[in-house]
Amino acid sequence: MARLTINGKAVNVDVDPNTPLLWVIREQVGLTGTKYGCGVAQCGACTVHMNGEALRSCAMPVSAAEGKKITTIEGLANKGLLTKVQKAWIEHDVPQCGYCQSGMIMAVSALLKEKPKPTDADIDAAITNICRCGTFQQVREAIHAAAKA
Amino acid sequence: MKIATPKITRRQFIINSAAVGGGLALGLRLPYGGPTVVRAADGSPEIGAWVVIRPDETVVVRIARSEMGQGSLTGLAQMVAEELECDWKRVTTEYPTPATNVARKRVWGDYGTGGSRGIRTSENYVRKGGAAARMMLVQAAADQWKVPVSECSAANGVVTHGPSKKKLSYGKLAEAAAKLDVPKDIPLKDPKDWKIIGKPLKRLDTADKVTGKQMYSADMKLPGMLSAAIKGAPVFGAKVVSFDQSKISAMKGVKKVMVVRNTAVAVVADTWWQAKTALDALPIVWEEGPNNKVSSESIAKMLDEGLSAEQAFVHNQNGDSKAALASAAKKIEAVYTYPYQNHACMEPMNATALYTADRCQVWTGTQNGEAALAATAEASGLPVDKCDVHKMLLGGGFGRKGMSDYVTQAVVIAKEMPGTPVKLLWSREEDMAQGRYHPVMHAKLTAGLDNAGNISGMHIRLSGQSILAAVRPEALDKGKDPFAFQGFWPTGEHSLEYTIPNLLIDHAMRNTHVPPGFWRGVNINQNAIFLECFIDELAQAAGQDPLAFRRKMMDKHPKSLAVLNAVAEKGGWGKPLAAGRHLGLAHFRSFGSYVAACAEISVKDGNKVKIHKIVAATDTGYAVNPAQIERQISGSFVYGLSAVFDQECTVKDGKIEQTNFHDYNSMRIAQMPKVESIVMPSGGFWGGVGEPTICVAAPAVLNAFARATGKRIRSFPLKNHGITLV
């Protein structure tokens, strides 16, 4: 039994403690906005926040998440009110297929918390998510727009 | 308009609706409305097959082609809305299922979404669908007012009677309009009157993608659903001999272990993680056959032999290239090679299937709904009218999801467990091992230059794999694969955009056991590198400027010349550059569109390439949504540059060696150049968008690299030469 706090709610799941957090979020908790892309912390599609920091959940056992505050893409908006990152994503028409964008938005949200006005170099260093559609140009524009909002 | 309705139980109907957010079970004859009205699942009437109008004025546009990020869904809706004269803010979309299309005699046309065809090959009937609905709505208003239809006009979802100024909204007219016959003679607007087509509108499908709400088929949930993981034969063509189920049968959640079509083993469990964990622990014995001796080296040897083989398929020929090359003042020859590459869609292959004795349903992301339906029928053993495929948004497709192998697998598995929905999801490792790979190709290019530095003759010999021979052999032209020659055709949508005398372009087909497949752009990726890099080599040998050298051969190719000139001018060709900066050019034609790029790079330590900027131009004829075209340009560059710098699938002992993104890398934001797009539609034709531009970034960068370093790279990816993109 693992006790988790996900998007502010306490959740108890009966699962092998080695199960990656990603799969507990998707299969036991039923929140599917967090995506599987590689399973080896390469692509970032599974990015969530753990105690406010970006984390690739596919390579982290659920046991390591006990007692930590986990936020997923579904928990980003507050009572339906989108964050400035989500709004910038809509305003700049960022997503193409959209599959990587949950992770991208979570990574960017963590970056902006740490560096509210990131430079291009800050973005290059912090945002290493893979997007096969190639939305990077719009991602960069939207990050700067969100920083100004 | 009577429609054949597939038999559907109430439970299945609820599952359909719940799974896709409601309203998608099309063509159900619900017990209200007039005798000729066809209704959507929520009871709203169809005004012709393409448009449903709800009482609240929402306009539902039917979309047959698949959305996988390329934006066709929005572009197609724009075309219907343009002719419908509705309020764009009230437009929403839905996919009619492939089985509904079959039952309704393919009223929505082709479902295939590949070859950059989504918009360009459906624009006419889609626009007519919108126009027909508008005509029916206007007619309905005229009938109600008892006035001539010629006195009525439609705009923004409202019909107005000119003389009396009476108005009726589409929502109020829909029921009456739906009872009218669909007109036969449907005039379309003159493009100069377009108000919605040609506008840089935002996509219709963004909101749910930023909140996690958007459902992909990998996110599918059904009551009682189990999950499956699968491992296909690592050596292509190998068979399953045995597996030791006792090693995993006690593992938590495991429900079933089975052979799938003799070529794969699947584990079904309560959750996917349990299924994958058990599958990883399952010993499997394969009968590998002779293919286990094939390697990248043995394939390269076979292709190199093809470069000088007697027999080859000729696709473009004029004059006498052999004689011209023999008598040339100067002869230049170069051999280029291009590797296998995987699609690596972010969402791995997956499908959910529910099989019962008399029905089989599939939920999946597919680029070819009707092929997925055919695969469902074949694998379930049920007739097509007992099957259906519920299309879901694709987490990337790039050609891979035009194949239905994963649909077949899901149905085969579900058939073993009647009444239980099973979601099959591939691991990334499975996706890397079981691709339908960008084919491997070598090329020998030989050209003669005369004393004035003009090309006097040229021979391009391709040697490598044919996609059609593997996936659509019936489409071969007396054994020849025309798609191997994309960008080299004498005429047509993939035409060569130079006038070259004494030309011969031929292909020695060399197929291997590695399954090839369509890929973004497919053969234009290597063909543009082969030709456009070689043209720069020839310009250098002739001591001429690469732009001027190209222009000499483009008098008869004004559209290509226009895009080339546009990028040269905006890219600063011939003007002073910042210290250490170098430019490279490329242009190509494919899928009907004319594209060009000018790359500006610098190179550090001889091998660290920074692409500062790429100016790109495309002439797509008509440009339905320039904002989305710009996104396709910069996005295609990410796909194309990832491929040329970092991506190669190598073969060892008959298997693909790469397993995940750590050894099959993809570009990150830090490596992204600034892309300045010039969308310059010249009108009069419909060219493709998603693919054509992919092929010009790589040769433009390679030409700039050669100018920067003096080194001409002819085999790919560049990582094999120690060259990295920074």
Side-chain angles (χ1 to χ4, degrees), chain B residues 155-307:
Chain B
N156 268 323
V158 176
V159 181
T160 304
H161 178 231
S164 70
K165 307 286 180 228
K166 279 191 278 197
K167 289 178 191 295
L168 275 172
S169 70
Y170 282 6
K172 299 221 165 46
L173 289 164
E175 285 294 337
K179 295 190 178 88
L180 300 173
D181 289 333
V182 178
K184 296 231 162 28
D185 181 23
I186 308 169
L188 292 174
K189 280 185 182 178
D190 189 306
K192 71 174 165 38
D193 298 326
W194 286 342
K195 294 172 294 193
I196 297 175
I197 298 177
K199 291 287 175 300
L201 300 177
K202 291 214 167 70
R203 298 174 62 111
L204 291 169
D205 55 349
T206 299
D208 287 351
K209 293 175 182 171
V210 306
T211 60
K213 212 174 143 192
Q214 176 66 54
M215 287 273 289
Y216 301 81
S217 56
D219 304 326
M220 193 63 201
K221 278 176 254 183
L222 290 171
M225 185 181 82
L226 298 176
S227 289
I230 197 161
K231 187 174 182 62
V235 176
F236 305 106
K239 308 279 180 228
V240 181
V241 175
S242 64
F243 55 83
D244 186 357
Q245 189 166 347
S246 68
K247 291 280 193 297
I248 64 164
S249 48
M251 288 175 78
K252 204 173 168 191
V254 171
K255 291 282 191 280
K256 205 172 179 72
V257 187
M258 67 180 92
V259 174
V260 178
R261 288 278 160 109
N262 209 24
T263 59
V265 177
V267 175
V268 182
D270 287 329
T271 69
W272 187 77
W273 184 253
Q274 291 169 336
K276 185 204 181 278
T277 306
L279 181 62
D280 287 348
L282 179 69
I284 306 171
V285 179
W286 307 95
E287 185 193 321
E288 294 185 335
N291 290 335
N292 68 4
K293 295 190 179 59
V294 179
S295 66
S296 287
E297 292 72 25
S298 69
I299 292 170
K301 204 174 157 194
M302 179 171 76
L303 267 56
D304 283 340
E305 174 276 321
L307 291 178

Side-chain angles (χ1 to χ4, degrees), chain B residues 451-694:
Chain B
N451 288 321
N454 297 315
I455 297 177
S456 56
M458 188 188 278
H459 178 200
I460 302 176
R461 163 59 63 88
L462 303 170
S463 174
Q465 201 159 1
S466 157
I467 301 169
L468 286 190
V471 308
R472 283 181 62 205
E474 73 283 2
L476 291 171
D477 175 13
K478 297 189 189 89
K480 178 172 73 178
D481 180 350
F483 287 97
F485 298 92
Q486 283 178 297
F488 294 159
W489 290 8
T491 58
E493 67 178 50
H494 296 287
S495 60
L496 177 71
E497 291 295 296
Y498 292 118
T499 304
I500 296 173
N502 301 310
L503 176 71
L504 173 64
I505 307 180
D506 55 11
H507 174 213
M509 193 186 290
R510 294 292 181 272
N511 296 326
T512 77
H513 81 300
V514 178
F518 293 107
W519 207 82
R520 193 172 190 173
V522 216
N523 296 310
I524 60 173
N525 289 284
Q526 73 272 18
N527 286 352
I529 288 175
F530 298 161
L531 181 67
E532 285 296 279
C533 288
F534 189 59
I535 290 288
D536 256 43
E537 293 197 60
L538 296 178
Q540 193 185 3
Q544 295 180 17
D545 172 78
L547 176 62
F549 188 76
R550 284 178 170 79
R551 282 172 171 165
K552 287 193 299 185
M553 301 181 282
M554 296 176 71
D555 279 356
K556 290 182 180 149
H557 306 281
K559 289 188 169 72
S560 284
L561 185 59
V563 290
L564 179 63
N565 284 338
V567 300
E569 188 185 340
K570 197 171 184 196
W573 189 267
K575 299 196 183 100
L577 292 169
R581 301 286 180 96
H582 300 272
L583 299 183
L585 290 170
H587 73 98
F588 218 60
R589 179 166 187 232
S590 60
F591 306 100
S593 291
Y594 305 83
V595 306
C598 178
E600 180 175 334
I601 73 163
S602 59
V603 183
K604 207 175 147 196
D605 305 330
N607 64 356
K608 294 178 190 67
V609 179
K610 176 74 193 168
I611 309 173
H612 300 277
K613 185 170 82 171
I614 303 181
V615 177
T618 181
D619 179 359
T620 56
Y622 295 111
V624 174
N625 187 324
Q628 303 313 325
I629 293 174
E630 287 181 14
R631 282 160 175 75
Q632 288 306 294
I633 294 172
S634 54
S636 73
F637 286 0
V638 172
Y639 210 78
L641 292 170
S642 294
V644 78
F645 273 90
D646 266 334
Q647 295 178 344
E648 177 181 29
C649 294
T650 51
V651 182
K652 191 180 176 195
D653 302 331
K655 309 168 195 172
I656 296 295
E657 291 189 278
Q658 288 67 30
T659 59
N660 208 314
F661 286 119
H662 68 284
D663 53 9
Y664 191 80
N665 205 358
S666 191
M667 251 172 88
R668 313 300 161 105
I669 199 169
Q671 299 163 299
M672 180 74 197
K674 182 175 169 47
V675 177
E676 292 179 10
S677 297
I678 309 168
V679 179
M680 42 189 287
S682 60
F685 68 97
W686 295 82
V689 169
E691 294 171 277
T693 53
I694 190 175

